[in-house]
């Protein structure tokens, strides 16, 4: 696969038409994105999200943790997540402490694409001082409310660059508004890039 889109659920992607991704190629979504769009593959590390996906008729592969896999053996489309491509001794190195977003990126990396386009991986919160829960599906089933505090992004900031290091031939293109700033240490990776949604739309149009 030349291009893969990995879809997170940060609010930055809300104005973007996910159905335009059909012109790009393969797509991997996370959690409740199936409510609005059926990606080619879905990653759900929370059992509730796996249950929701299969109960609502999502028929493409759903990847979840080894720990939960046997509980969903009745559904033939539920699969085990691939192993992490490295071993580490820190708590964030434990596969159980990787959430759906980083696991979806790892799944994308197993295809060795030229470019992974990363949508909705906002990392930071909303509201004053970026301190509130950032998710398109907040206040809905299986999600926190809008007044809940932001999930600590420090694990993501540590885990995701592991993939930059281990897959140096793959370009990781973060699609974000121009105002978004990545963790400072990410700028040191030559295969990490940022572009905005307008330019991404232009790129997709050229694939039609």
């Amino acid at each position: 696969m030349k291009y893969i889109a990995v879809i997170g659920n940060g609010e930055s992607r809300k104005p973007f038409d996910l159905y335009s991704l059909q012109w790009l190629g393969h797509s991997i979504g996370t959690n409740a994105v199936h409510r609005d769009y059926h990606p080619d593959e879905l990653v759900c590390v929370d059992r509730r999200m796996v249950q929701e996906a299969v109960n609502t008729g999502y028929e493409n592969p759903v990847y979840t943790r080894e720990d939960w896999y046997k509980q969903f053996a009745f559904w033939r489309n539920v699969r085990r997540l691939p192993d992490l491509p490295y071993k580490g001794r820190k708590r964030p190195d434990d596969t159980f402490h990787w959430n759906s977003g980083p696991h979806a990126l790892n799944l994308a990396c197993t295809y060795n694409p030229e470019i992974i386009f990363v949508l909705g991986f906002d990392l930071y919160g909303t509201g004053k001082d970026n301190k509130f829960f950032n998710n398109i599906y907040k206040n809905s089933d299986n999600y926190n409310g809008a007044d809940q505090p932001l999930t600590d992004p420090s694990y993501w900031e540590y885990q995701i660059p592991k993939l930059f290091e281990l897959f140096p031939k793959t370009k990781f293109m973060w699609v974000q508004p121009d105002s978004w700033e990545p963790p400072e240490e990410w700028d040191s990776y030559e295969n990490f890039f940022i572009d905005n949604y307008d330019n991404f739309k232009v790129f997709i149009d050229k694939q039609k």
Side-chain angles (χ1 to χ4, degrees):
M1 296 178 189
K2 190 173 183 179
Y3 305 132
I4 296 179
V6 176
I7 310 164
N9 298 319
E11 294 174 46
S12 68
R13 74 158 178 82
K14 193 171 184 178
F16 181 75
D17 178 14
L18 293 177
Y19 280 93
S20 66
L21 294 174
Q22 64 183 311
W23 301 104
L24 188 67
H26 199 75
S27 61
I28 299 174
T30 55
N31 297 322
V33 68
H34 68 87
R35 297 176 186 175
D36 301 307
Y37 176 70
H38 275 207
D40 296 295
E41 298 176 293
L42 187 67
V43 173
C44 302
V45 300
D46 188 309
R47 282 176 289 188
R48 296 173 301 172
M49 298 310 305
V50 180
Q51 195 72 59
E52 176 185 322
V54 295
N55 283 352
T56 55
Y58 179 83
E59 296 179 351
N60 293 344
V62 180
Y63 289 84
T64 193
R65 301 185 189 280
E66 175 76 24
D67 309 66
W68 318 143
Y69 171 74
K70 291 182 180 179
Q71 299 179 29
F72 297 96
F74 177 81
W75 286 275
R76 295 184 179 181
N77 61 324
V78 177
R79 302 178 182 179
R80 298 180 181 88
L81 282 164
D83 293 335
L84 297 185
Y86 77 101
K87 299 291 184 182
R89 296 182 177 181
K90 296 180 179 180
R91 195 167 187 266
D93 296 319
D94 184 341
T95 184
F96 199 82
H97 295 295
W98 282 52
N99 71 8
S100 295
H103 269 301
L105 286 175
N106 183 47
L107 175 60
C109 287
T110 66
Y111 294 110
N112 293 310
E114 180 180 321
I115 305 176
I116 299 175
F117 294 94
V118 186
L119 289 68
F121 279 56
D122 296 357
L123 299 182
Y124 312 121
T126 63
K128 187 177 180 180
D129 300 323
N130 297 323
K131 65 181 181 179
F132 293 116
F133 184 55
N134 177 350
N135 197 289
I136 285 176
Y137 302 107
K138 62 190 178 186
N139 295 324
S140 69
D141 289 346
N142 301 320
Y143 278 91
N144 290 338
D147 59 345
Q148 296 299 304
L150 169 71
T151 302
D152 181 2
S154 61
Y155 277 22
W156 306 332
E157 294 172 352
Y158 171 86
Q159 293 161 347
I160 290 171
K162 293 290 186 182
L163 302 176
F164 301 164
E165 295 173 4
L166 292 164
F167 298 91
K169 294 182 179 180
T170 294
K171 297 177 182 178
F172 295 80
M173 180 66 74
W174 245 248
V175 185
Q176 282 286 337
D178 289 331
S179 59
W180 187 83
E181 295 185 6
E184 185 176 344
E185 57 272 22
W186 288 17
D187 287 331
S188 63
Y189 295 95
E190 295 183 355
N191 58 339
F192 168 70
F193 303 88
I194 306 172
D195 208 344
N196 60 41
Y197 279 96
D198 288 339
N199 289 338
F200 185 44
K201 291 174 184 176
V202 171
F203 180 84
I204 290 175
D205 287 341
K206 291 180 179 179
Q207 312 308 310
K208 296 180 180 179

